[in-house]
Amino acid sequence: MNELLSMAISAQGGMNNWQKYRHADIHLSVGGILWEMKGHRDTISEVNVNVNLLEQKASHKPNTEWHTIYTPDIVKIEKSNGELIEELYSPRSSFKGHTLETKWNNLQLAYFAGYAMWNYINSPFLFTRPGFEINEVESWNENSETWRRLKIKWPESVHTHSREQTLYIDKEGLVRRLDYQVEIAGNTPASHYLYDYKDVNGIKIATRRVVYATGEENNARLDGPVIVSIDLTDIKLS
């Protein structure tokens, strides 16, 4: 295993501890300008999410009437009694030609929210799975700190924002920033910051995430609008 990835996994609780769990249940408070741009200003502003820690599965439940079911090949929206409302096969192909301003339908929102939260909660542990290419690149200085960086190439089998992403890891081994391009929104470059780590059953989880546009020379546009913010509470691992 890459030495820096091993350090990050150890800092967030260790692989042996992580493998004790199968699911994460979390309440999310979601903000930022993205949702109104996509036609879903308040759809998932307050939502419970269940993330499968083994398979690429996630479910968002914004109320007691309906919930989503995300997998890479099919996305569904169901009533609380299990009755199907709508579904979409091969959801990623539905984003062909999209730009940052293109509106999303309900199933496209469910796809984006599903794979994004699956990625966020399972990282950095998922990078030990087959198919990931991990390489350390030059360090980065920000806010008088030096963060080591991992360039990660994702396998086609794992749905994510973009095939190449960069993790920024501090001296304690915690991930502080994540850079990617949102392929399904016109390859928009984003800088995603992680804050306020909390210990949950021995696993350290960032309880606040804030995404900004990436500007010149790889600097996040921290003076610009917040693209997405996510606050995590009531985190349970089982």
Side-chain angles (χ1 to χ4, degrees), residues 2 11 61 78 86 95 103 120 150-151 176 208 227:
N2 175 280
K61 187 176 182 181
E78 293 182 345
E86 53 183 336
F95 294 89
K103 303 297 184 186
Y120 301 159
L150 286 178
K151 185 75 70 176
R176 297 286 297 277
R208 180 164 176 76
I227 307 301

Side-chain angles (χ1 to χ4, degrees), residues 61-124:
K61 187 176 182 181
N63 54 53
T64 58
E65 298 177 1
W66 60 271
H67 59 270
T68 68
I69 300 175
Y70 158 77
T71 65
D73 297 325
I74 183 171
V75 178
K76 300 180 181 181
I77 298 176
E78 293 182 345
K79 293 183 179 179
S80 58
N81 63 4
E83 180 183 343
L84 179 66
I85 298 175
E86 53 183 336
E87 63 184 359
L88 177 64
Y89 286 84
S90 301
R92 198 171 189 94
S93 64
S94 72
F95 294 89
K96 185 177 180 179
H98 275 218
T99 68
L100 181 59
E101 292 78 20
T102 307
K103 303 297 184 186
W104 288 340
N105 63 35
N106 291 335
L107 289 164
Q108 289 171 327
L109 172 65
Y111 171 79
F112 174 82
Y115 84 68
M117 287 310 302
W118 189 87
N119 284 197
Y120 301 159
I121 299 305
N122 279 283
S123 296

Side-chain angles (χ1 to χ4, degrees), residues 172-185:
E172 305 299 329
L174 297 177
V175 178
R176 297 286 297 277
R177 175 177 164 180
L178 170 64
D179 288 355
Y180 47 78
Q181 293 182 315
V182 186
E183 293 175 350
I184 64 174

Side-chain angles (χ1 to χ4, degrees), residues 167-206:
L167 264 67
Y168 297 66
I169 299 169
D170 69 14
K171 64 181 181 180
E172 305 299 329
L174 297 177
V175 178
R176 297 286 297 277
R177 175 177 164 180
L178 170 64
D179 288 355
Y180 47 78
Q181 293 182 315
V182 186
E183 293 175 350
I184 64 174
N187 289 307
T188 304
S191 297
H192 180 142
Y193 286 81
L194 291 76
Y195 304 101
D196 302 336
Y197 277 85
K198 178 181 178 181
D199 188 298
V200 180
N201 296 359
I203 301 295
K204 289 186 178 179
I205 297 176

Side-chain angles (χ1 to χ4, degrees), residues 56 72 92 130-132 153-160 163 183:
Q56 292 180 69
R92 198 171 189 94
F132 284 93
K153 291 186 178 180
W154 295 60
E156 292 288 338
S157 59
V158 181
H159 286 221
T160 186
R163 292 296 149 210
E183 293 175 350

